[in-house]
Amino acid sequence: MKKIAVALIIFGLTVVSVSAQVFKAGAAVRLITPSPLLPVSGGIGTPKKAVEAKGELFVRACVFERGGTRVAIVSVDNLGWPSVLGNKSRALIKGIPPENVLIGATHTHSGPDAYGFPNEKGESFADLPYLDKCVHAIADAVNEALATASPATLKIAVGDAKGQIAYNYYAPALYDPRCGVIQAIATSGTNAGKPIVTLVNYAIHPEVIGSDRGILSPDLCGPLCQRIESKAGGVALFMNGAQGGMVTADNRRENGKEANTWEECTRIGELLADEALRIVTPAEPQANPTLFCTTRNVTFPIESEVMKYIVKNSLLKYPVAAGDKVVAQVNLLNLGSAQILTIPGEALPNIGYYLKRHMHASVPLLFGLTNDAFGYMLTKVDFNSFKRYEYISRTSLGENTAEIYMDEALKLIADSPKADGYK
């Protein structure tokens, strides 16, 4: 091979060695449970004191590499992870372009405040030293995942997750039951044939426990990842989907009651884990899959007075462009037969269905609350249309947020190559 390459170079041809094109994957985790415990934030308002923990909070990261392209996907056990924090991690990550680092939140409603939500007096209670530790934990996990990346194949599949897992609180049947799974399998070394990472993509609010009970927890996402890691091996991570308005955990019981316990988190998380493994197990391995990543910055006007107040008064000092606008990074990623779009907020399920229908892949996936988490995203015909939508309209950037996002997402799809195998 070396002699052939030398000969081609002599004749003025550029070659890339076969080894440079080998697909690789790596994964790593970091514990981010605060000690002592910090107050729990489930959204706008003053965080509630935590008196106990159920499960641990983690940063989970995976890296994919092929040729000169490297991409990192990070999942943080938190309600959301603003870009003002994500960009600090990106600056500490070596060997991966900042725009190729996708950082999403599981959206647990039982974690510390990462937004720096201000109260009516302008006071914010986010613990900045803790958030800085998380910033470094993200970078450390990605750097380790890259350093330990090894040759791999991919198994990719999507299918309906069955059982009592999620429903739409506003209209029970209006949610996306599809669960997408990406699993990287080692092809060499002592772990050959075993998973390096299993990524689960599903739309759900992890709010079984919630923020009012003094319990700090990863909610159902903790048991989900633990179950996969114990049954399949490797690292598991969860990326949320289009779960806005209001796709939540199905913890309903008779007589209108709900089960708000750690045991219910375990039931739902383990059931979703088992479904994810059922869906991906029969998938055919994809050798040397395509890896493509592109990004575009999308500008959104802040029309909501509530959101404007939060952005301008947070301890995190969100960058605000002239005219009260914010800019969010949106990624499109082709990974084998999967195509992934990131959403910088909580898109309603109809937006998710619409985008998936127009994506160029047999396995279209949406990573919600990724690269930023600017509230709910409703189409303009949904915005303030029903009494049920009053809260999510108030905590959206504005009436045109989803319209702007969908227009830019469709352009991104049109300007990008198709995923492997898509006709």
Side-chain angles (χ1 to χ4, degrees), residues 119-144:
N119 64 13
E120 65 277 1
K121 298 178 182 179
E123 300 170 320
S124 185
F125 300 93
D127 189 298
L128 295 184
Y130 168 74
L131 294 178
D132 188 60
K133 289 181 181 178
C134 293
V135 163
H136 283 80
I138 289 171
D140 290 345
V142 173
N143 287 333
E144 180 185 327

Side-chain angles (χ1 to χ4, degrees), residues 18 38 41 50 69 103 118 139 186 211-212 218-219 307 323 386 411 421-422:
V18 173
L38 291 175
S41 171
T69 302
I103 304 175
S211 59
D212 298 327
D219 207 88
M307 296 298 286
F386 305 103
K411 292 176 186 175
Y422 185 78

